[in-house]
């Protein structure tokens, strides 16, 4: 499978400039069609206002969100006009608690969703909700970019996080186009169970699967010498000069349908290179 339909989602075109640049570069690299969804976020919280004010404030908030979506669409169209790739732009307006609907609808029919890291200086609640909607509701693989990242030459040296889970296997299969294009893939296993099905040859069967796809992979078995698995994974990535991390995305139910689990969130918070994840 190749990435022929790429989606990126914008709420603030100025803040998403590097994200759009990276998505354009990746679409060109993959000869893919780029879809951009511009969302106006209505942050109204119905029920928090005095009697009689709710309808007026709700309408004002909706109108403002609609204007923001239209402004974002105009800015994105202007940005993409000179590009030599195939592209399309759409808009939506949604309350922050209902972003899953428009995001999941497009993500379900995309090969890859490109988003900026939802944590840190440029992060916000809407960005986090969009990421979770693409992963858990849209069931799409997501490429999460660190702050300011706009290149498309990543994926030469890949850390493939492996823990025998369904999520890790799904992420591996979804990332196959990137893995096949890489010059080096490091199957990274942290503290493998001594009584697991792969106890005698950690990562061996995965390495065999990748080899049959023409992927040259090596296996690194690491001890958990830092408090968090994500810290060990990040340090190993720096040690081998990796420019992409592939991993499964883990979530659990909360007030929303699903939110990122602690390990996944920690990995994204400290990400210095693009992170490809799937659930």
């Amino acid at each position: 499978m190749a990435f022929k339909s790429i989606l990126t989602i914008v709420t603030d075109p100025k803040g998403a400039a590097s994200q759009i640049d990276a998505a354009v570069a990746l679409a060109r690299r993959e000869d893919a069609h780029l879809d951009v969804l511009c969302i106006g976020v209505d942050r109204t919280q119905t029920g928090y206002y005095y009697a009689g004010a709710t309808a007026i404030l709700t309408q004002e908030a909706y109108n403002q969100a609609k204007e923001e979506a239209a402004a974002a669409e105009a800015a994105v169209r202007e940005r993409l006009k000179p590009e030599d790739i195939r592209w399309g732009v759409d808009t939506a307006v949604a309350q922050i608690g209902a972003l899953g609907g428009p995001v999941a609808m497009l993500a379900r029919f995309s090969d890859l969703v490109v988003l900026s890291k939802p944590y840190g200086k440029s992060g916000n609640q809407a960005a986090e909700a969009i990421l979770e909607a693409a992963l858990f509701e849209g069931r799409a693989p997501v490429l999460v970019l660190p702050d300011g990242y706009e290149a498309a030459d990543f994926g030469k040296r890949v850390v493939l996080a492996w823990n025998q889970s369904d999520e890790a296997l799904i992420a591996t299969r979804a990332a196959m186009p990137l893995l096949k294009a890489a010059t080096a893939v490091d199957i990274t296993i942290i503290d493998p169970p001594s009584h697991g099905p792969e106890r005698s040859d950690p990562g061996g069967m995965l390495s065999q699967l990748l080899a049959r796809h023409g992927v040259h992979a090596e296996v690194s078995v690491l001890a958990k010498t830092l408090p968090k698995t994500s810290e060990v994974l990040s340090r190993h990535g720096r040690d081998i000069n990796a420019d992409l991390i592939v991993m499964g995305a883990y979530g659990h139910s909360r007030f929303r349908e699903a939110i990122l689990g602690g390990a996944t969130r920690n990995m994204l918070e400290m990400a210095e290179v693009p992170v490809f994840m799937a659930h």
Side-chain angles (χ1 to χ4, degrees), residues 3 5-9 19 23 26 103 106-116 130-131 133-135 138-145 275-277:
F3 301 125
S5 183
I6 296 175
L7 169 68
T8 193
I9 299 161
Q19 171 188 327
L26 185 60
V103 172
L106 287 182
R108 288 184 64 190
F109 299 99
S110 300
D111 296 320
L112 180 66
V113 181
V114 177
L115 298 173
S116 296
I130 288 169
L131 171 62
L135 278 170
R139 299 288 178 174
V142 177
L143 181 69
V144 183
L145 305 170
V275 178
F276 180 101
M277 53 178 51

Side-chain angles (χ1 to χ4, degrees), residues 60-80:
E60 289 182 354
Y62 174 82
N63 290 340
Q64 181 179 348
K66 190 174 181 180
E67 290 173 2
E68 290 174 357
E73 178 188 16
V76 170
R77 286 187 180 277
E78 186 66 24
R79 164 66 184 83
L80 295 180

Side-chain angles (χ1 to χ4, degrees), residues 49-58:
Y49 307 106
Y50 59 85
T54 302
I56 297 173
L57 292 171
T58 298

Side-chain angles (χ1 to χ4, degrees), residues 213-232:
H213 282 274
V215 178
H216 174 69
E218 296 182 353
V219 178
S220 296
V221 179
L222 309 176
K224 188 179 178 184
T225 54
L226 294 171
K228 296 178 181 179
T229 299
S230 55
E231 293 173 334
V232 179

Side-chain angles (χ1 to χ4, degrees), residues 12-33:
D12 173 16
K14 290 183 180 179
S18 61
Q19 171 188 327
I20 296 171
D21 290 345
V24 168
L26 185 60
R28 183 177 295 110
R29 162 180 156 175
E30 299 292 323
D31 189 26
H33 186 285

Side-chain angles (χ1 to χ4, degrees), residues 239-255:
D239 289 344
I240 68 170
N241 198 28
D243 57 7
L244 176 67
I245 295 174
V246 174
M247 63 180 291
Y250 307 92
H252 44 262
S253 296
R254 278 290 195 272
F255 297 105

